[in-house]
Amino acid sequence: MEKNLDAKGRRRNRNVGFRVSEEEAKLLDNLVELSGLAKQDYILRRLLNREIVVQGNPKVFKALKHQMAQIYEELKRLEAVSGDNEELLITTQMIAKIMKGMVNEYDG
């Protein structure tokens, strides 16, 4: 199979790039890590309004634990979560949604 073919056999020879702030890049990286997808696949699915189904696996579970530890430390530091912490709220919502669908077999 040719390197630039996708799962449907389409050739991916076009490059699309865009700039983001440090905060946006961090949030995007967190969401990609939690999804278990490659960044390209995550961005394409979001842009094309396709559902992102997270398949539980040890890598995703490790990312969840890491994000939860960071959120816990941040919440300890904050007196109250406010609108200034939108990235934290978005990440927390995604983690909660994913963890609802996961089983404890990856804990360890």
Side-chain angles (χ1 to χ4, degrees):
M1 185 182 287
E2 193 176 327
K3 182 179 179 182
N4 290 329
L5 296 182
D6 69 2
K8 293 185 179 183
R10 297 175 292 202
R11 184 164 181 186
R12 287 189 165 166
N13 60 349
R14 298 291 306 258
N15 187 9
V16 176
F18 55 94
R19 296 184 185 277
V20 295
S21 68
E22 283 298 320
E23 295 81 12
E24 292 166 333
K26 184 177 178 183
L27 177 58
L28 178 60
D29 289 341
N30 288 341
L31 296 175
V32 167
E33 183 180 29
L34 291 170
S35 75
L37 297 171
K39 188 179 282 189
Q40 173 179 311
D41 294 329
Y42 180 84
I43 292 171
L44 275 173
R45 288 183 188 186
R46 294 294 298 204
L47 287 172
L48 299 175
N49 214 14
R50 294 186 182 145
E51 185 176 13
I52 295 175
V53 178
V54 176
Q55 298 295 323
N57 61 51
K59 181 180 173 184
V60 171
F61 191 74
K62 183 179 177 182
L64 287 169
K65 287 176 74 171
H66 174 75
Q67 286 295 321
M68 287 303 292
Q70 287 185 325
I71 289 168
Y72 176 69
E73 291 302 317
E74 185 67 13
L75 289 174
K76 284 194 319 188
R77 193 180 68 76
L78 297 173
E79 290 184 15
V81 177
S82 68
D84 294 338
N85 297 304
E86 185 176 0
E87 293 86 9
L88 180 62
L89 293 173
I90 292 169
T91 302
T92 304
Q93 289 169 342
M94 184 170 181
I95 290 171
K97 185 176 180 181
I98 293 168
M99 291 188 89
K100 277 185 177 181
M102 292 187 74
V103 295
N104 292 332
E105 67 186 82
Y106 301 112
D107 195 10

